């Protein structure tokens, strides 16, 4: 059974391995996960970055990172979510997102915003967000690179 809990220091190795092994993430993106995880684990207030780990029988299957968007009232960003390749398509991502949403509500959040890519490889990721009730709010053409649009999804949390 999948258990979601705040990421612990002992998860760091497996979490960074998972991010590094994710075919969709560039090396720079995996390094960003590393930087945010260090901030979360080392700063008392977590620097505004909160990580959740999805565990099964002591094994890390996925993680998510979210936090309050600076200078907003009740808006939160989902910074990262990833599920290990063998665990994909089995409901781990859905369970992680449900916990992120619960945590955001507990922290007084009313809106969750997330960015993704318009590239073809990200079609399953976009389908994932749509299936969870996220709305395609905006597209910024060629934002990441020529031919690589930024797609912004949002969800109002009640
Ligand atoms: C996106 C991701 C987090 C989804 O996690 P997951 O555990 O594989 O997804 P789930 O099994 O919880 O799927 C939930 C729903 O999303 C949709 N979905 C998931 N994978 C899908 C796919 N490959 N194609 C189409 N829809 C998909 C389905 O509607 C699914 O519901 P169903 O199983 O009842 O049909 C995971 O696939 C992943 O790590 N992708 C690579 C990293 C990434 O893109 N991260 C986001 C960066 S912006």
């Amino acid at each position: 059974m999948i258990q979601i809990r705040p990421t612990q220091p002992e998860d760091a190795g497996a979490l960074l391995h998972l991010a590094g092994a994710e075919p969709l993430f560039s090396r720079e993106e995996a390094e960003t996960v590393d930087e945010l995880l260090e901030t979360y684990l080392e700063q008392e207030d977590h620097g505004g970055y909160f990580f959740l780990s999805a565990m099964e029988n002591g094994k890390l299957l996925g993680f998510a990172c979210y936090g309050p968007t600076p200078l907003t009232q009740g808006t939160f960003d989902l910074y990262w979510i990833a599920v290990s390749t063998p665990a994909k398509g089995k409901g781990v991502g859905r369970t992680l997102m449900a916990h992120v949403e619960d945590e955001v509500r507990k922290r007084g959040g009313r809106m969750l915003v997330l960015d993704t890519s318009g590239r073809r490889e990200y079609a399953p990721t976009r389908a994932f967000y749509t299936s969870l009730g996220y709305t395609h709010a905006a597209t910024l053409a060629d934002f990441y690179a020529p031919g690589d649009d930024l797609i912004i999804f949002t969800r109002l949390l009640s």
Side-chain angles (χ1 to χ4, degrees):
M1 186 168 143
I2 302 160
Q3 190 207 357
I4 310 290
R5 57 157 170 74
T7 297
Q8 305 295 307
E10 61 267 26
D11 302 343
L15 194 156
L16 296 176
H17 179 77
L18 195 161
E22 169 48 52
L24 286 184
F25 293 169
S26 66
R27 202 169 55 144
E28 270 180 316
E29 287 172 329
E31 282 169 5
T32 308
V33 175
D34 194 353
E35 282 168 27
L36 298 192
L37 182 62
E38 205 176 297
T39 303
Y40 163 75
L41 290 175
E42 289 180 5
Q43 293 189 16
E44 210 171 321
D45 66 354
H46 308 295
Y49 299 109
F50 299 96
F51 278 77
L52 293 175
S53 294
M55 309 296 298
E56 192 174 50
N57 300 325
K59 197 167 181 284
L60 183 101
L61 301 183
F63 69 92
C65 172
Y66 67 95
T69 310
L71 306 177
T72 67
Q73 290 179 2
T75 299
F76 280 65
D77 267 297
L78 178 79
Y79 295 113
W80 295 105
I81 183 165
V83 172
S84 72
T85 299
K88 281 186 173 82
K90 298 175 183 167
V92 178
R94 182 195 293 281
T95 309
L96 269 167
M97 286 302 298
H99 280 74
V100 167
E101 290 166 6
D102 282 349
E103 290 297 320
V104 167
R105 284 188 196 96
K106 276 187 210 155
R107 294 170 196 276
R110 63 186 169 85
M111 188 195 289
L112 199 48
V113 177
L114 59 91
D115 296 351
T116 192
S117 163
R119 284 191 349 245
R120 194 159 41 87
E121 305 90 282
Y122 275 88
T125 302
R126 296 191 297 273
F128 168 71
Y129 293 133
T130 303
S131 82
L132 299 188
Y134 285 76
T135 304
H136 176 179
T139 295
L140 297 187
D142 301 325
F143 177 83
Y144 290 113
D148 188 355
D149 301 346
L150 162 65
I151 312 287
I152 302 174
F153 282 93
T154 61
R155 182 166 190 208
L156 292 177
L157 304 174
S158 47

